[in-house]
Amino acid sequence: PPGDPPGTPPLAPVLQLLRNQLQEKDALIRHLESDWERSRAQREREERLLVTAWYNMGLALQQQEGGTAPRGLPSGAQSFLAQQRLATVARRARTPHGRAPSS
């Protein structure tokens, strides 16, 4: 048939409409990618702050419990972890009578 069937819109306006929709969707995708990147950077900053806060809290607890970090260690983290291990061992040694000690 030489033309479009009756009742069908001409092809050029439909193509233009589809191109416009595609451009809008591309713009939306770029916007969402940029939002995602900002969110990821924000999460990484929050994670670093949490790790720092936990480290500082552990260091403060260690200093509060009697003394500062040993001078031979570059930071109190190793000593703090050692104290946590000792506390765990002591807790296991005080198991209720119904259970055998785990060592």
Side-chain angles (χ1 to χ4, degrees):
D4 291 330
T8 353
L11 196 53
V14 172
L15 283 177
Q16 188 57 45
L17 177 66
L18 290 173
R19 281 190 190 110
N20 290 344
Q21 288 176 349
L22 188 58
Q23 288 173 349
E24 289 172 12
K25 289 198 186 296
D26 284 344
L28 178 62
I29 287 171
R30 282 193 301 275
H31 177 71
L32 290 172
E33 285 173 342
S34 138
D35 279 356
W36 181 84
E37 186 61 35
R38 278 195 302 272
S39 295
R40 185 185 61 77
Q42 174 83 19
R43 279 192 309 274
E44 286 178 358
R45 280 192 301 272
E46 289 171 355
E47 187 174 316
R48 283 193 299 269
L49 285 171
L50 278 169
V51 168
T52 302
W54 271 106
Y55 173 80
N56 289 337
M57 188 175 71
L59 198 56
L61 283 173
Q62 173 197 355
Q63 290 172 351
Q64 192 178 43
E65 286 178 358
T68 57
R71 293 191 191 278
L73 295 175
S75 72
Q78 294 163 333
S79 180
F80 173 74
L81 290 175
Q83 286 184 4
Q84 296 310 302
R85 288 187 200 101
L86 289 175
T88 302
V89 168
R91 198 167 45 249
R92 287 183 183 154
R94 295 187 311 249
T95 55
H97 294 289
R99 294 190 340 209
S102 16
S103 57

